[in-house]
């Protein structure tokens, strides 16, 4: 007798072995509240760039919202409940945008690309909520000579460096920007009909996260550099890195280092139309 899908449960390939555990579906035997919550060290830098160049990378229905400021964020996470206390590191790249659909409108950070150094969050994030995730070897942020230093590589090719120097204590909560959350494009190609989509959705992760507790925040001078790559350097993603490397740094807009606990795993995702 063949199996049937259970309503309300999350499945991923291979589906033949039942509902899949992950960040949005912990096994019933796991009590997530017994842990103090994920520990997150975030290092970020921002810079003003050319608006016309950013607009080239916005999907249909999106427009820039405010100044063309790119944010690059490294997040080193440990003690993650859905990984049984393990951790990983990721990089977010985004800028402010507004989506105007047939019914919905929202303004927030358009998440252009995410790199992570572990397959499990890449697979779950791409399949379940539409995060544009790629793999990279991402080092844990390193503190040296009063600065936080971050880097990302792919099989020996360094494609990203970020640093935040001259650090000093700052308010625990950054200034509000009117953002409603994180905006993304979820795209699944149609097998055999290349250029056509089986799925084309705009998704939103609401910004409110009452589970996140900021313990310390510092601000400083941030710098970011994406390194131009040839096809041989990055065969499957040189086009992504080179597009970001082509963005001019018109003006640095500072950086920050944040230490936090807790946070939810984007369980309140919704689709905008």
């Amino acid at each position: 007798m063949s199996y049937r899908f259970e309503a309300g449960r999350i499945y991923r390939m291979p589906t033949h072995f039942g509902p899949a555990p992950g960040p949005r579906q912990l096994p019933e035997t796991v009590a997530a509240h017994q842990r103090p919550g994920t520990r997150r060290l975030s290092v970020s830098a921002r810079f003003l760039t050319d608006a016309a160049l950013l607009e080239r990378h916005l999907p249909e229905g999106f427009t820039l919202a405010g100044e063309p400021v790119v944010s690059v964020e490294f997040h080193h996470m440990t003690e993650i409940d859905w990984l049984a206390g393990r951790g990983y590191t990721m990089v977010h790249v985004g800028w402010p945008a507004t989506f105007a659909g047939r019914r919905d409108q929202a303004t927030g950070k358009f998440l252009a690309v995410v790199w992570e150094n572990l397959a499990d969050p890449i697979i779950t994030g791409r399949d379940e909520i539409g995060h544009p995730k790629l793999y990279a070897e991402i080092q844990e942020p390193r503190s040296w000579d009063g600065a936080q230093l971050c880097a990302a590589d792919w099989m020996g090719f360094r494609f990203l460096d970020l640093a935040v120097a001259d650090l000093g204590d700052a308010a625990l909560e950054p200034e509000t920007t009117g953002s409603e959350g994180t905006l993304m494009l979820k795209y699944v190609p149609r097998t055999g009909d290349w250029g056509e989509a089986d799925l084309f959705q705009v998704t939103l992760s609401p910004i409110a996260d009452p589970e996140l507790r900021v313990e310390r925040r510092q601000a400083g001078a941030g710098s970011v550099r994406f390194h131009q790559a040839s096809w041989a350097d990055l065969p499957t993603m040189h086009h992504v890195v080179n597009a970001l490397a082509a963005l001019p740094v018109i003006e640095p807009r500072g950086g920050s280092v944040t230490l936090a606990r807790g946070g939810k795993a984007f369980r309140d995702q919704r689709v905008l139309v």
Side-chain angles (χ1 to χ4, degrees):
M1 180 178 178
S2 60
Y3 66 91
R4 295 183 179 181
F5 290 92
E6 299 178 39
R9 303 299 302 276
I10 297 174
Y11 288 79
R12 293 187 302 275
M13 294 186 293
T15 63
H16 331 304
F17 306 102
R24 282 157 289 280
Q25 187 166 261
L26 288 169
E28 295 179 358
T29 55
V30 176
H33 65 274
Q34 290 181 355
R35 300 191 62 83
T38 299
R39 191 167 185 82
R40 180 191 301 252
L41 172 63
S42 300
V43 183
S44 66
R46 304 164 69 241
F47 63 91
L48 181 71
T49 191
D50 183 276
L53 291 179
L54 276 190
E55 287 173 343
R56 296 179 186 176
H57 306 300
L58 284 174
E60 185 178 359
F62 284 82
T63 56
L64 284 176
E67 291 188 297
V69 175
V70 177
S71 64
V72 182
E73 307 164 1
F74 279 71
H75 300 284
H76 176 66
M77 298 177 296
T78 56
E79 303 177 46
I80 299 175
D81 56 1
W82 69 274
L83 291 175
R86 299 172 179 85
Y88 63 95
T89 305
M90 61 184 175
V91 180
H92 285 193
V93 181
W95 50 84
T98 295
F99 170 73
R102 298 188 307 273
R103 182 190 69 193
D104 301 314
Q105 180 167 322
T107 297
K109 182 180 75 172
F110 174 69
L111 189 58
V113 63
V114 178
W115 281 280
E116 292 178 339
N117 63 355
L118 186 65
D120 303 74
I122 294 174
I123 293 168
T124 57
R126 286 175 67 101
D127 285 358
E128 295 172 12
I129 56 178
H131 279 203
K133 296 187 176 187
L134 300 171
Y135 174 79
E137 291 126 26
I138 308 170
Q139 302 172 21
E140 178 181 348
R142 177 168 56 94
S143 178
W144 178 249
D145 197 22
Q148 283 282 351
L149 309 175
C150 304
D153 307 70
W154 184 87
M155 297 192 77
F157 181 82
R158 174 78 60 87
F159 65 86
L160 172 59
D161 284 290
L162 182 148
V164 182
D166 303 324
L167 289 166
D169 288 338
L172 292 184
E173 296 298 330
E175 295 181 9
T176 57
T177 60
S179 172
E180 297 173 58
T182 302
L183 293 159
M184 292 147 292
L185 179 67
K186 184 177 183 180
Y187 175 86
V188 178
R190 181 171 298 162
T191 303
D193 292 332
W194 309 124
E196 300 295 325
D198 261 348
L199 189 64
F200 191 96
Q201 294 178 331
V202 174
T203 65
L204 172 69
S205 294
I207 195 169
D209 190 352
E211 299 176 21
L212 184 68
R213 304 182 304 279
V214 177
E215 298 178 348
R216 186 182 185 189
R217 185 170 182 272
Q218 295 179 298
S223 63
V224 179
R225 184 183 177 189
F226 286 93
H227 301 281
Q228 284 280 345
S230 68
W231 172 82
D233 294 325
L234 300 173
T236 61
M237 61 184 184
H238 66 286
H239 62 302
V240 178
V241 171
N242 288 347
L244 296 171
L247 297 175
V249 179
I250 296 175
E251 179 183 279
R253 288 297 179 89
S256 65
V257 178
T258 305
L259 188 63
R261 276 277 193 186
K264 57 188 178 181
F266 297 106
R267 291 181 173 89
D268 300 327
Q269 200 86 1
R270 63 189 180 96
V271 176
L272 306 181
V273 296

